[in-house]
Amino acid sequence: MTEHAKQCVSVSLNTADDEDDDEDDEEGRKDKRPVASTPVPGSPWCVVWTGDDRVFFFNPTIHLSVWERPGELIGRDISRIIQDPPHKRKKMSVDDTDSKSHSSDLNEDGDDDNRHTSKRNRTEDSMSLVPRPGEVKLLPLELRITHFRDMMLERGVSAFSTWEKELHKMVFDPRYLLLTSDQRKQVFDQFVKSRLKDEYKEKKSKLHKAREEFKQLLDEAKITSRSTFKEFCSRYRSDQRFSALNRKKEQEVLFNQYMSSLKKREKENRAKLRKMR
């Protein structure tokens, strides 16, 4: 069994016919608790069944449970998994066995009670590993916000854009579901404010590096005072240092500055030669 399958704990829940009346409320609550789960192959999600035959989805990696199908499972046919709950298969098998051996077990009521109690304890221990639907608060809010911010950084969410334009980068990431709708917008706004200065510095640094590399290309290129910008572009457009500075006007400005400097040096060299004569 894989580690992921171990985390998606599969459990079965058997109820006793002789429960006391004062335990009815408790049993009603237990009916809404998870009773079995099955991992969805090729995804971090599990399908989880509750005692009242409802289905939700659980991600053990980030301890997140949701009622609606996560984005990663949209478009995938998981109907066979949902329609084949493991606890129903086990229960049917147990019922068949019990019906066949009912007469021989009448003298073992004490042992049955002990086994039932032990099985119920194991079941409750197993179910404690699976969160109830909607229990997003299993992770502290600060930690969920941290995961959400990490997701925005990893997905390349731009601080110079809007929530609507950046939404497509985040909506299919499981961490998107860690926060409510209002919390997402609030964290996004805070993220944008804190990232504006950093992103501006990053863009400024990137532009400076592109300019310096373009100047280096000009130095290495075989340019004469008679060269033209059009000729330079035609010859070096495939060079990475040329394409890194993707502003044509700025390329032309730097080229003209280089040409002016080149012509000035040539003029100074000619003047020195005349003095030497």
Side-chain angles (χ1 to χ4, degrees):
M1 181 181 293
T2 63
E3 186 64 26
H4 178 53
K6 291 179 181 178
Q7 290 178 302
C8 296
V9 183
S10 177
V11 297
S12 62
L13 182 63
N14 296 321
T15 58
D17 294 334
D18 56 350
E19 293 289 343
D20 294 335
D21 292 338
D22 58 357
E23 295 181 354
D24 288 345
D25 292 340
E26 181 181 355
E27 290 301 318
R29 288 194 297 270
K30 287 183 178 180
D31 285 343
K32 297 182 180 180
R33 295 178 62 181
V35 294
S37 64
T38 297
V40 179
S43 83
W45 293 93
C46 311
V47 177
V48 185
W49 291 265
T50 62
D52 56 357
D53 292 331
R54 299 186 70 186
V55 173
F56 67 95
F57 302 91
F58 173 56
N59 186 326
T61 304
I62 56 177
H63 294 277
L64 174 64
S65 56
V66 293
W67 286 110
E68 297 181 0
R69 183 179 298 205
E72 290 184 345
L73 299 183
I74 293 177
R76 292 191 55 176
D77 184 10
I78 58 174
S79 57
R80 291 185 179 181
I81 297 177
I82 294 176
Q83 294 171 5
D84 187 28
H87 65 296
K88 292 289 183 70
R89 296 198 305 266
K90 292 181 179 180
K91 185 176 181 181
M92 289 176 62
S93 177
V94 170
D95 289 343
D96 291 342
T97 302
D98 288 345
S99 63
K100 292 178 182 179
S101 59
H102 179 68
S103 59
S104 62
D105 290 341
L106 290 176
N107 297 326
E108 301 178 1
D109 290 341
D111 293 340
D112 285 343
D113 290 340
N114 291 334
R115 283 198 297 270
H116 174 69
T117 301
S118 177
K119 185 182 293 183
R120 183 171 58 185
N121 290 338
R122 290 197 302 271
T123 295
E124 292 177 352
D125 290 342
S126 298
M127 287 191 299
S128 67
L129 299 176
V130 184
R132 302 175 190 178
E135 279 192 343
V136 178
K137 293 182 180 179
L138 284 174
L139 288 178
L141 178 59
E142 291 183 3
L143 187 55
R144 284 182 279 134
I145 290 176
T146 299
H147 285 318
F148 195 85
R149 288 179 63 88
D150 291 342
M151 175 200 66
M152 289 191 287
L153 282 172
E154 293 172 13
R155 296 288 179 177
V157 173
S158 175
F160 294 96
S161 187
T162 63
W163 169 260
E164 289 74 17
K165 291 182 179 179
E166 298 298 298
L167 186 60
H168 71 281
K169 299 178 181 179
M170 304 178 284
V171 69
F172 293 113
D173 191 299
R175 290 169 291 183
Y176 177 80
L177 300 173
L178 285 172
L179 301 177
T180 65
S181 179
D182 292 339
Q183 289 172 339
R184 292 173 199 142
K185 291 294 294 295
Q186 185 178 1
V187 174
F188 175 82
D189 292 339
Q190 294 172 350
F191 173 82
V192 167
K193 290 179 181 179
S194 63
R195 279 289 296 166
L196 275 174
K197 291 183 179 181
D198 293 338
E199 201 163 326
Y200 177 76
K201 290 179 181 178
E202 290 171 5
K203 286 192 173 185
K204 189 175 180 180
S205 176
K206 186 177 179 180
L207 181 59
H208 176 75
K209 182 180 178 181
R211 286 171 179 166
E212 293 301 314
E213 290 181 346
F214 190 84
K215 291 178 181 179
Q216 184 181 10
L217 175 62
L218 289 170
D219 287 333
E220 296 177 3
K222 298 178 180 179
I223 298 176
T224 68
S225 57
R226 295 183 179 182
S227 299
T228 65
F229 180 66
K230 186 176 181 180
E231 292 172 347
F232 174 75
C233 292
S234 177
R235 188 171 183 178
Y236 294 100
R237 67 172 67 253
S238 60
D239 193 294
Q240 186 176 358
R241 293 169 294 181
F242 181 93
S243 57
L245 186 64
N246 56 6
R247 301 179 180 181
K248 190 170 183 179
K249 289 185 177 180
E250 191 165 7
Q251 289 175 339
E252 191 169 4
V253 168
L254 291 176
F255 177 84
N256 290 334
Q257 290 176 351
Y258 181 83
M259 291 298 294
S260 297
S261 176
L262 178 62
K263 290 177 180 180
K264 183 178 179 180
R265 289 199 302 269
E266 289 182 350
K267 185 177 180 180
E268 291 174 350
N269 289 336
R270 286 196 297 268
K272 289 180 180 180
L273 287 173
R274 283 196 298 268
K275 288 181 178 181
M276 290 175 64
R277 292 176 184 174

